[in-house]
Amino acid sequence: KAGVTQTPRYLIKTRGQQVTLSCSPISGHRSVSWYQQTPGQGLQFLFEYFSETQRNKGNFPGRFSGRQFSNSRSEMNVSTLELGDSALYLCASSPGAYSRETQYFGPGTRLLVL
Amino acid sequence: DAKTTQPNSMESNEEEPVHLPCNHSTISGTDYIHWYRQLPSQGPEYVIHGLTSNVNNRMASLAIAEDRKSSTLILHRATLRDAAVYYCILRHQETSGSRLTFGEGTQLTVNP
């Protein structure tokens, strides 16, 4: 099976712009989670989607949003970009949303905000 | 959220066993203990997980204390490719879904 894919892999934006990142989960996986990784804050949970519904949300401002499509593919959007949004954005998928299940991570999208 | 505590860094020699400790004194009964590792410039990779009993797989072993307040990831023979940041994570099962709460992790250096 193909792994989790994320597009684009690298992105440069300027402050005030918005950005959309895409994640394709492993075939058959219905749960997609998003994480932000920065040197200062480490890996932080953004949100989780399961069957097109947001099931959990981390402590991020409303500028961060996401959605999941019927084929389980997911997108996250960041509006009004700030310098501090520069980070590696990671997507992970799992078959369901149970604590015993393994999450499989993609390679990430590295976003640089200038 | 229950927190985990790991040493910031550890060093090992190639082909020697490595024991990576993790404390999770506030773990709840439904929390699974997961270990992931992250190699440079890659997303985290699943290593192993368990609930109460010790677990083994082709990558590593997980030893869980009887009171579940600590656990140890064991790499039986470290290789240079095992150099990574290792995360000990409690996987919560909440009514509205579940998520991974990452701690600081342990940077493992493997010396040739």
Side-chain angles (χ1 to χ4, degrees):
Chain A
K1 277 187 181 177
V4 177
T5 57
Q6 293 187 244
T7 56
R9 292 293 311 279
Y10 303 93
L11 205 50
I12 300 176
K13 292 285 188 180
T14 57
R15 278 181 301 174
Q17 287 187 308
Q18 75 165 14
V19 67
T20 299
L21 311 181
S22 181
C23 171
S24 292
I26 292 172
S27 177
H29 285 193
R30 296 168 62 193
S31 174
V32 173
S33 297
W34 288 89
Y35 296 83
Q36 180 197 65
Q37 186 172 28
T38 60
Q41 300 296 320
L43 270 155
Q44 292 186 291
F45 172 79
L46 279 158
F47 25 66
E48 174 192 6
Y49 286 87
F50 180 76
S51 293
E52 302 179 65
T53 301
Q54 187 181 89
R55 298 196 64 174
N56 213 342
K57 191 177 193 311
N59 189 25
F60 279 82
R63 300 185 297 107
F64 291 81
S65 63
R67 60 177 175 169
Q68 186 180 35
F69 302 95
S70 58
N71 62 358
S72 294
R73 190 177 69 84
S74 177
E75 289 181 346
M76 68 162 281
N77 183 276
V78 188
S79 62
T80 320
L81 284 166
E82 301 177 358
L83 296 179
D85 297 332
S86 294
L88 179 67
Y89 290 88
L90 292 156
C91 164
S93 77
S94 62
Y98 298 102
S99 59
R100 63 181 176 275
E101 294 180 338
T102 300
Q103 287 203 348
Y104 297 86
F105 284 81
T109 294
R110 189 164 295 281
L111 171 65
L112 177 62
V113 181
L114 302 175
Chain B
D1 292 349
K3 302 280 187 214
T4 62
T5 304
Q6 300 176 252
N8 288 334
S9 62
M10 290 185 66
E11 247 183 89
S12 173
N13 295 320
E14 204 174 5
E15 298 191 5
E16 290 185 355
V18 181
H19 290 236
L20 298 165
C22 180
N23 288 320
H24 28 77
S25 58
T26 59
I27 190 171
S28 73
T30 56
D31 285 340
Y32 283 80
I33 302 160
H34 287 242
W35 283 81
Y36 284 75
R37 70 180 185 181
Q38 187 172 22
L39 280 66
S41 303
Q42 294 187 26
E45 172 190 32
Y46 167 80
V47 178
I48 199 167
H49 77 279
L51 185 61
T52 56
S53 304
N54 294 345
V55 185
N56 300 295
N57 67 20
R58 64 175 180 81
M59 287 182 71
S61 296
L62 175 60
I64 302 172
E66 198 170 328
D67 62 6
R68 301 212 322 131
K69 293 186 176 183
S70 65
S71 60
T72 302
L73 178 70
I74 303 165
L75 306 179
H76 296 287
R77 290 183 66 195
T79 69
L80 297 178
R81 288 174 295 180
D82 291 323
V85 178
Y86 286 79
Y87 296 98
C88 169
I89 299 160
L90 300 183
R91 187 90 193 268
H92 313 276
Q93 179 59 60
E94 300 164 351
T95 55
S96 60
S98 60
R99 64 184 180 185
L100 294 175
T101 301
F102 286 86
E104 300 292 324
T106 297
Q107 174 69 63
L108 176 65
T109 301
V110 180
N111 300 313

